[in-house]
Amino acid sequence: MLTQPSAAGVEGVPPGSAAGLTTRYPFVLPRGYVDEQGTLHREGVMRLATARDEIASQSDPRVRQNPAYLSVLLLARTVTRLGSVPGVDNLVIENLFASDLAFLQDLYRRINQEGHTEADVDCPACGHGFAVDIAGDVPGES
């Protein structure tokens, strides 16, 4: 389920939206980030990327040395919350399990290029097609 942040100074606009535009997407990582104390963090929020996010990340010297690092920088800028981690930075993203990194890369692509978090799937038993929200449902949010 998706939450919508409020537009500054606009009454009646739900959190996560600006006049109907969803800008923040809750997610649940498949495995989760394990911090230095051994605490598992799975629930988080990713916001839409801005042009500044893309430009600043592409001009970073680490990306020139290793183009694969671009996704780390973009995710560090757009993942606004991950469990109770005080701040999501490059180090947090670098220490995600590979499956969680791939999940966030796909979520980033979906919300920034396609505008949604749904994936079309087919039932393996009957072949019936339907859409699934891959971001997951964050408990306690609507």
Side-chain angles (χ1 to χ4, degrees), residues 29-43 82-85 91-98 100:
L29 292 175
R31 298 217 164 147
Y33 168 70
V34 180
D35 65 20
E36 294 173 356
Q37 291 76 35
T39 304
L40 180 66
H41 306 272
R42 292 189 61 214
E43 298 173 7
L82 183 56
S84 60
V85 174
L91 192 58
V92 170
I93 301 299
E94 289 172 5
N95 284 298
L96 290 171
F97 293 111
D100 290 330

Side-chain angles (χ1 to χ4, degrees), residues 46-47 49-50 52-80 88-94 96 101 105 108:
M46 181 183 292
R47 67 169 172 78
T50 63
R52 180 178 296 234
D53 294 326
E54 295 270 343
I55 293 166
S57 297
Q58 289 176 7
S59 63
D60 189 288
R62 294 168 289 188
V63 172
R64 284 189 225 125
Q65 291 176 346
N66 180 1
Y69 201 70
L70 177 62
S71 67
V72 170
L73 295 176
L74 288 170
L75 292 174
R77 291 178 71 107
T78 58
V79 174
T80 61
V88 179
D89 58 14
N90 300 347
L91 192 58
V92 170
I93 301 299
E94 289 172 5
L96 290 171
L101 178 63
Q105 289 170 325
Y108 180 93

Side-chain angles (χ1 to χ4, degrees), residues 121-139:
V121 296
D122 294 324
C123 173
C126 70
H128 177 74
F130 55 96
V132 173
D133 188 347
I134 65 160
D137 189 14
V138 178

